[in-house]
Amino acid sequence: QVQLVESGGGLVQPGGSLRLSCVASGFDADQVAIGWFRQAPGKEREFVAAIYWIGGATYYGDSVRGRFTISRDSAKNVVYLRMNSLQPEDTAVYYCAARPTLRAGVLSNDYEYDYWGQGTQVTVSA
């Protein structure tokens, strides 16, 4: 059974950092790309970052580029999202998702992803 489990969210002050984790199980991680998305109350889901498991190529949304870093640990089947210089506008529920590597389309489209985690809340507030 395909499963994605996020962790690492919490409350952080503006300018602080957090690292989110997404543990993937139930499928061959070599055949997928993993993406992080976020959704704030009253807003549409937004692409944050994505990584191809094979090769490790990474992609970022404009609002987080230069502040967030996506990476993977192949031995542990974990994808991380390191978030630095957090601001109140980064407050959202963060989700990881998986899609087939060979699927056509762009990584920033949430409808390209077949499997989703339950989400982890990130709150940036003084």
Side-chain angles (χ1 to χ4, degrees):
Q1 182 178 354
V2 175
Q3 192 171 18
L4 299 169
V5 180
E6 305 97 332
S7 62
L11 174 65
V12 63
Q13 292 186 341
S17 298
L18 280 176
R19 189 182 74 165
L20 305 183
S21 300
C22 173
V23 179
S25 61
F27 56 87
D28 187 351
D30 292 348
Q31 298 179 3
V32 300
I34 302 291
W36 284 97
F37 292 79
R38 66 186 182 185
Q39 189 165 21
K43 294 187 177 181
E44 293 187 354
R45 190 156 50 192
E46 178 188 11
F47 171 72
V48 175
I51 186 168
Y52 281 109
W53 205 274
I54 293 295
T58 59
Y59 302 85
Y60 295 94
D62 290 340
S63 62
V64 306
R65 189 175 292 112
R67 298 188 298 126
F68 291 10
T69 302
I70 188 171
S71 62
R72 78 213 186 291
D73 184 329
S74 298
K76 297 180 180 179
N77 271 13
V78 178
V79 173
Y80 300 104
L81 184 68
R82 177 69 179 182
M83 305 185 295
N84 296 328
S85 302
L86 284 162
Q87 299 302 319
E89 53 266 34
D90 295 314
T91 295
V93 178
Y94 283 71
Y95 300 90
C96 67
R99 53 156 281 169
T101 297
L102 298 180
R103 174 171 291 168
V106 297
L107 291 176
S108 58
N109 291 334
D110 58 358
Y111 55 81
E112 304 272 359
Y113 290 77
D114 296 330
Y115 305 103
W116 292 81
Q118 82 288 349
T120 185
Q121 176 71 47
V122 172
T123 302
V124 185
S125 175

